Amino acid sequence: STTGKPILLNNIADAEAFVSGAEVAVIGFFQEPESAEASQFRLAAGRIPEVPFGLSTSPAVLSHYGVSANTVTLFRRVDNDRRDLDMNGREVDTEKMTRFIRMNELRLVTEYNPVTAVGVMQSSLKFNLLLITDKMSPKHPQRMRKFRASAELFKGKILFILLDINLNSNERVVSYFQLKKSQLPALVIFHTPDDEHEVMTVDEISIERVQEFCNRFIQ
């Protein structure tokens, strides 16, 4: 439901609680709550119901985050990072705001697609762990639970990524790692600065196996 979105954040404590309460949170910083930019921001909030949106016009809050009015900021827990979209002196509409958020909303486990690819490439985390799998598989929900639990252990160290083989645009990634469909699901860990990587085919995912695989590669 998009009712009550965005939440008004009138002070620093509210804003900090709002940001720390979600994997991904977005705040629009504006001078006037009814400005044209703020209206576009509300429309964007309506399009992305699963992400919490806040709005602040408090000079103290803007100063606390070091932003000027007319800025949309996305905060994410996975790499303790933030992304700013400064709308001063440029034409920004709902479309551009929505794209900015979709591109940068990296999560504990981020699903890889042509839009999130940009945010993945720009993440400050140097290690990525891919689970290349078939989302249609009856085993998928259980695999995801284990993969997500493993991601908790490496928060701030490794970016965990789900790559669904049913998406045509992902075929290139699968062939890059020289994997055939018969070898899937597979885990691939790689170090982004030098492209060094290791592949492990897995039928069942266990937290211990993922942990061991990651630790060995990092060392």
Side-chain angles (χ1 to χ4, degrees):
S1 151
T2 57
T3 49
K5 287 184 71 173
I7 293 163
L8 284 174
L9 304 167
N10 297 319
N11 57 58
I12 294 167
D14 284 355
E16 286 188 331
F18 177 78
V19 169
S20 64
E23 260 187 66
V24 174
V26 175
I27 300 181
F29 300 100
F30 301 101
Q31 212 144 18
E32 296 294 327
E34 299 309 323
S35 66
E37 291 86 356
S39 304
Q40 296 283 329
F41 181 70
R42 284 191 179 86
L43 289 173
R47 287 188 185 184
I48 310 177
E50 70 281 14
V51 173
F53 277 65
L55 188 151
S56 188
T57 55
S58 151
V61 175
L62 270 73
S63 157
H64 177 71
Y65 288 107
V67 292
S68 57
N70 292 340
T71 303
V72 171
T73 300
L74 178 140
F75 299 87
R76 58 188 191 212
R77 198 186 294 162
V78 65
D79 54 1
N80 242 335
D81 213 344
R82 61 181 259 194
R83 291 285 182 267
D84 294 339
L85 175 65
D86 185 342
M87 297 178 286
N88 290 294
R90 46 199 285 222
E91 201 55 51
V92 176
D93 55 11
T94 304
E95 209 62 58
K96 284 183 185 149
M97 284 185 209
T98 306
R99 186 170 166 71
F100 165 77
I101 293 157
R102 285 293 187 216
M103 217 161 70
N104 291 295
E105 58 163 336
L106 303 183
R107 298 172 175 276
L108 205 54
V109 174
T110 300
E111 186 161 347
Y112 191 84
N113 60 45
V115 180
T116 58
V118 182
V120 166
M121 305 292 180
Q122 292 173 350
S123 167
S124 56
L125 298 184
K126 300 293 177 235
F127 292 98
N128 291 356
L129 181 72
L130 284 176
L131 169 59
I132 302 175
T133 189
D134 177 0
K135 268 177 81 177
M136 303 295 185
S137 160
K139 292 181 177 177
H140 181 70
Q142 195 187 351
R143 279 183 193 137
M144 271 310 283
R145 270 198 298 278
K146 301 268 177 69
F147 194 58
R148 203 181 154 76
S150 307
E152 287 279 2
L153 304 174
F154 291 96
K155 206 158 47 191
K157 265 193 190 163
I158 300 177
L159 197 58
F160 276 58
I161 298 160
L162 169 70
L163 192 121
D164 180 21
I165 57 169
N166 298 303
L167 207 62
N168 290 339
S169 57
N170 286 338
E171 282 174 7
R172 222 178 61 221
V173 182
V174 179
S175 63
Y176 176 80
F177 293 116
Q178 298 174 339
L179 283 162
K180 298 184 187 74
K181 279 203 169 163
S182 60
Q183 295 171 290
L184 300 175
L187 288 170
V188 179
I189 188 165
F190 63 95
H191 184 235
T192 52
D194 57 15
D195 255 0
E196 196 180 320
H197 62 270
E198 199 175 313
V199 180
M200 176 167 79
T201 57
V202 285
D203 183 39
E204 292 312 317
I205 284 185
S206 75
I207 298 167
E208 297 73 31
R209 259 188 108 178
V210 173
Q211 207 175 352
E212 194 185 309
F213 181 55
C214 292
N215 285 333
R216 200 179 60 229
F217 184 81
I218 289 173
Q219 279 160 15

